[in-house]
Amino acid sequence: ILSYAIGLTNPKLIYKVIALSGYIDNEIIDDLKSDAEVQEIEYFITHGLYDPLIGIELARESERFLKSKKIKYIYKEYPIEHSISEEVLINLINWLN
């Protein structure tokens, strides 16, 4: 949640965002910077299909929002709960490189 907030409201501070098991809080939408500014950032997003803390639908809504703003992202769902698996880590490292 925090990584989305920083990326969408302060896009000149960073160039990549890692969002693991989170979502875009509707309260930050009002503080969203211009589309051109936020489109400069790349996002790596993962979410567990069985996450009991933050439901998968919130992650999917966030993905739809990024897509509507033409923001560059990779979105992956994994058969896990609210955690990070080895597969997530491998994909994250590959994305960072």
Side-chain angles (χ1 to χ4, degrees):
I1 299 168
L2 182 58
S3 57
Y4 278 122
I6 292 170
L8 293 171
T9 60
N10 297 287
K12 293 186 179 191
L13 297 178
I14 55 176
Y15 67 99
K16 288 191 175 196
V17 170
I18 299 167
L20 307 177
S21 298
Y23 65 96
I24 299 172
D25 189 330
N26 287 331
E27 291 184 22
I28 68 162
I29 300 300
D30 293 336
D31 297 327
L32 184 71
K33 296 301 181 187
S34 72
D35 287 359
E37 288 180 296
V38 296
Q39 288 170 351
E40 296 298 315
I41 300 174
E42 297 178 41
Y43 286 75
F44 180 82
I45 306 153
T46 69
H47 208 90
L49 289 167
Y50 312 115
D51 188 332
L53 301 176
I54 300 173
I56 190 68
E57 191 51 41
L58 286 173
R60 290 173 180 164
E61 285 176 22
S62 298
E63 180 199 13
R64 288 190 290 272
F65 177 81
L66 295 177
K67 188 174 189 174
S68 75
K69 296 292 182 183
K70 297 181 174 58
I71 294 172
K72 296 173 274 199
Y73 68 90
I74 291 176
Y75 174 85
K76 294 182 180 272
E77 296 177 357
Y78 297 88
I80 58 176
E81 292 188 358
H82 191 81
S83 60
I84 300 170
S85 68
E86 183 177 341
E87 184 180 9
V88 170
L89 287 176
I90 290 168
N91 289 331
L92 174 57
I93 290 167
N94 288 335
W95 179 75
L96 288 170
N97 292 325

